Amino acid sequence: METHASTTVALAFGARQLPKLVEALELPAEALPQPERARALALLLGGLAAPEAKVQAVQAGALPPLLTWLAHPASSDGVARAACACIASIAALRQGRAALADAGGVAVLTAALATVPDSAAAALRVLASSADGAAALRASPVAVTAALVGLAGAPGSTHAAAADACACLADLCRGDEGACLEALACEAPACLAALAGRALRHGSAPAGGTGPGLLHGAVRALLSIAQHGGPGRAHLREAGCIAVLARALGSPDGAAQSVAAACLAALSIDADSKLPVMVEAGPALIALLRGGPR
C-alpha cells in the first residue's frame, strides 16, 4: 500500500494533479504514511493559487479528507498545519466557504484551535473576513466566539494567533447582536483590553513584520462591540477599555489610531462614558485633531 500511495502522489501532474492528490489524501492512514501525506498536502497547497484551481479542488472533494486529516489524532502538527493552510486557501473563494460549511468545517477548525492554534486561527480569519463566511461561523452550533476569546486570552498564545483571533471576533461581532452578547458573556472586553495593552508594551506587529497587527485587531474588535449598543459600551467602560484606547491614540500604527478614535466616539454616546472619555482620552484626541499623535 505504501508503494501505491507513493505512486499516487508521484503521478500527480498536469490536469489530473488535483484529483490525483485528493485520491491520495482519501487513502486510510495505514496506506498513506505521514511523509507521503505531508508531501501530498504540500503539492495540493502549491496548486491552489488560482481561483479555478480552488473550484477544481472543491469539485474533486478535497475538503472532506482535509478536514479528516486535520482532526485525525494520528496526524502530526506539520500535517495538521498543512491541512489548515489548504483549507484557508480554498476558503478564500465563496464556493469554497460554502462547501467548507456544508462539510462541518467550522467545528473542525474550532477544535483545531486547541492543537494547531496559529494555523486554525488563520483559517478562521479567512472565513470570518467575508459576510457569508462570518454568517457560517455565527450559524454553527459550536461555541466559536468563546473558543476565539479563550485563544486570544491564553497566556501561551502567539502574537499571530491572538491577532487572528481578534480579527475574527471583530468580524463576527460587527452588526450582529448574538455574537456581541456571546462575546460579552465570555468577558471579551477585558481580554481585548489586555491584548491591546500587551501590543502597546511590546509592539503591534508580529515577528517578521507580516500579518495583522495585534493592536489593530484588538481595538477593531472593541469597536465592533461598542457599536452594538448600550450593553456593549457599558462592558467596555467597566473593563477599563477607555484608558487603553486612549493610549492607542498615541501608537505609531495609524490604522489602530483611527479605529481607537472611532471606538472612543462610539463610547461617548453613553452619558456615563462621556466624562471618562474626556478625562482619559481628551488630550490625545485634541493632539490628533491638531495633526498627529501626542
Side-chain angles (χ1 to χ4, degrees), residues 135-236:
L137 291 176
R138 297 184 193 113
S140 173
V142 178
V144 180
T145 301
L148 289 169
V149 174
L151 172 63
S157 289
T158 65
H159 192 122
D164 282 336
C166 288
C168 287
L169 288 168
D171 290 328
L172 285 176
C173 292
R174 187 173 61 240
D176 188 86
E177 181 179 10
C180 282
L181 291 176
E182 289 178 19
L184 295 179
C186 299
E187 302 295 334
C191 172
L192 293 166
L195 287 170
R198 166 183 163 187
L200 287 164
R201 288 191 302 274
H202 303 297
S204 179
T210 60
L214 178 56
L215 179 61
H216 181 257
V219 296
R220 193 163 71 87
L222 288 172
L223 174 61
S224 292
I225 296 172
Q227 290 175 331
H228 164 61
R233 292 192 284 269
H235 273 74
L236 263 64

Side-chain angles (χ1 to χ4, degrees), residues 267-279:
L267 284 169
S268 67
I269 294 172
D270 278 1
D272 290 339
S273 296
K274 292 183 184 296
L275 182 58
V277 167
M278 182 56 64
V279 171

